[in-house]
């Protein structure tokens, strides 16, 4: 699940209330399911329990909706580790990938974000090569081939999107360097 | 064992830099995909490695021999005898039949007519298009033309095969047929293949991928382990 990390990513820019976090989450990841307030507070509670975020601000006693949270150093480390971890290139991971890309652009510098993307892309390519080889195996059955095609098509879609994102990030880099 | 080694290859077209110091070592028998966005220098690298273009700087070494310093005539001989090139559109001669097209490189190299025709028919057969031997390119589909073009490239049994977007003009299933034939034959003959493509599905046929970006090898992130599970 990427929600805890997305919330931490949003907190990386400074303390926020649960309400702001929900709004920011839904704005950044418009295609993900809207986050329920209950889930935001439950997640913040767990993150606080694990020492990844900590309540900040004066009105702590006024109930969860009045409490703002801030990211701890431990939280920042956990977030960086998550961003640097390559997702297993299976189909249907796009939403986790999308969350990672959005968050990495939020909390890291562009060259770091780019390096995450390149690494992820390499993992996707490796899986795509495996499936292509599987398909070429003379013993492969029709259903093997069709299943491999399915995986390849989805990996290819992810790869195209990763490539486009890499190019966009590179353009961004050039703008900044100017 | 290294068969073809590009070392720090630099190439520009006028003031437009296309390659800014590319090093790429091809091992005998391997299939390497060169990928990257449009304009990153893929075709220029292929042309330099195939001895079609001369690098402005850097070295090109084929079997321990510098080839970038050879004369145009010597490089042209190398291209005819050791190398094979396949482009997006197969450049078959439209007036000739498939068999005549495939026999052509052998005839030009001095092989007798009968032997050249026999070899041509055998290559068309290996690529699954034996029944097209007496048809002209205009009577064939794009995929059939490309398989004939591949037969024509392979008939001289090149040691290194250079392919620039070989399936770029084909639909994915037809492209798959061309590529799977190409890969199978390359494995049988231990042919080294440099496969230029911007298509990840095509790159999936290669043993490894070299990504170019702005005329340089993008070396970050290759050979990573997938964490997680
Ligand atoms: N004949 C030429 N004259 C001038 N500039 C050229 C020529 N051929 C290529 N270039 C330039 O050199 C750079 C690299 O081109 P190249 O054709 O090698 O790229 P590519 O990666 O093969 O692109 P594509 O995927 O579009 O085929 C580009 O900036 C291109 O504009
Ligand atoms: Mg090109």
């Amino acid at each position: 699940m990427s929600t805890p990390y997305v919330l931490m990513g949003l907190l990386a820019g400074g303390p926020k209330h649960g309400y702001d976090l929900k709004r920011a989450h839904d704005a950044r990841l418009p295609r993900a399911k809207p986050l329920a307030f209950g889930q935001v507070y439950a997640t913040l509670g767990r993150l606080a329990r694990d020492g990844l975020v900590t309540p900040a601000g004066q009105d702590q006693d006024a109930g969860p909706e009045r409490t703002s949270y801030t990211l701890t150093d431990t939280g920042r480390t956990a977030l960086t580790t998550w961003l640097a971890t390559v997702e297993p290139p299976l189909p249907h991971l796009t939403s986790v990938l999308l969350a990672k890309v959005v968050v990495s652009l939020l909390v890291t510098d562009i060259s770091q974000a780019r390096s995450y993307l390149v690494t992820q892309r390499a993992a996707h390519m490796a899986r795509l090569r495996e499936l292509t080889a599987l398909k070429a195996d003379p013993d492969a059955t029709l259903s093997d081939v069709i299943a491999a095609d399915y995986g390849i098509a989805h990996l290819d879609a992810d790869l195209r999107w990763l490539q486009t994102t890499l190019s966009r990030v590179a353009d961004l880099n050039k703008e900044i360097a100017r | 064992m290294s068969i073809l080694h590009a070392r720090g290859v630099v190439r520009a077209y006028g003031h437009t830099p296309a390659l800014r110091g590319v090093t790429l070592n091809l091992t005998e028998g391997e299939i390497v995909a060169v990928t990257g966005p449009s304009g990153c220098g893929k075709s220029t690298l292929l042309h330099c490695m195939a001895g079609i273009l001369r690098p402005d700087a850097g070295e090109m070494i084929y079997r321990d021999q510098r080839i970038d310093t050879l004369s145009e005539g010597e490089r042209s001989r190398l291209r005819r005898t050791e190398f094979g090139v396949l482009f997006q559109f197969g450049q078959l001669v439209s007036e000739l039949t498939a068999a005549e097209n495939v026999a052509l490189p052998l005839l030009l190299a001095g092989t007798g007519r009968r032997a050249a025709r026999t070899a041509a028919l055998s290559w068309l057969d290996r690529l699954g298009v034996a029944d097209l031997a007496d048809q002209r390119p205009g009577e064939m589909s794009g995929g059939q033309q490309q398989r004939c073009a591949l037969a024509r490239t392979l008939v001289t049994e090149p040691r290194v095969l250079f392919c620039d977007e070989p399936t770029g003009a084909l639909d994915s299933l037809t492209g798959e047929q061309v590529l799977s034939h190409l890969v199978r034959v390359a494995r049988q003959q231990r042919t080294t293949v440099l496969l230029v493509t911007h298509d990840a599905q095509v790159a999936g046929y290669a043993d490894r991928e070299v990504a170019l970006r702005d005329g340089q090898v993008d070396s970050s992130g290759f050979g990573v382990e997938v964490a997680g599970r």
Side-chain angles (χ1 to χ4, degrees), chain A residues 114 118 121-122 129 135 156, chain B residues 176 206 209 213 218 220-221:
Chain A
R114 193 176 173 282
V118 169
R121 191 178 170 282
R129 270 196 296 278
K135 218 165 65 161
D156 189 37
Chain B
E176 176 179 314
E209 180 197 19
R213 186 164 63 104
D218 189 354
S220 47

Side-chain angles (χ1 to χ4, degrees), chain B residues 5-94:
Chain B
H5 194 171
R7 266 201 212 139
V9 169
V10 173
R11 170 74 204 207
Y13 299 95
H15 293 298
T16 311
L19 299 176
R20 308 162 186 259
V22 173
T23 293
L24 172 58
N25 193 6
L26 302 183
T27 302
E28 179 144 33
E30 73 171 339
I31 302 179
V32 177
V34 174
T35 63
S38 190
C40 69
K42 303 183 293 296
S43 297
T44 306
L45 178 62
L46 180 140
H47 286 100
C48 285
M49 293 192 83
I52 299 167
L53 280 179
R54 203 196 279 273
D56 299 331
E59 302 179 349
M60 197 63 70
I61 297 143
Y62 175 67
R63 292 189 188 281
D64 302 324
Q65 194 198 356
R66 282 283 291 271
I67 60 167
D68 53 298
T69 49
L70 295 178
S71 70
E72 176 50 45
E74 287 169 316
R75 276 188 292 140
S76 149
R77 194 180 50 79
L78 191 74
R79 289 201 300 270
R80 280 198 314 271
T81 56
E82 305 286 303
F83 295 167
V85 186
L86 183 68
F87 294 110
Q88 180 166 353
F89 300 101
Q91 315 98 32
L92 293 171
V93 181
S94 56

Side-chain angles (χ1 to χ4, degrees), chain B residues 95-111:
Chain B
E95 293 78 22
L96 301 181
T97 65
E100 288 164 348
N101 263 290
V102 178
L104 196 58
L106 293 178
L107 293 173
L108 293 175
T111 308

Side-chain angles (χ1 to χ4, degrees), chain A residues 85-90 114 118-119 121-123 125 128-129 132 135 152 156 159 163 174, chain B residues 35 37 176 199-201 203-209 213-214 218 220-221 224 226-227 229:
Chain A
T85 306
V86 169
E87 289 304 314
L90 300 170
R114 193 176 173 282
V118 169
T119 313
R121 191 178 170 282
M125 272 311 300
L128 194 145
R129 270 196 296 278
T132 305
K135 218 165 65 161
I152 288 169
D156 189 37
L159 279 162
Q163 190 60 55
K174 277 184 203 149
Chain B
T35 63
E176 176 179 314
D199 183 341
Q201 292 206 35
Y205 285 85
D207 301 318
R208 66 184 171 104
E209 180 197 19
R213 186 164 63 104
D214 289 341
D218 189 354
S220 47
V224 290
V226 179
R229 63 184 73 172

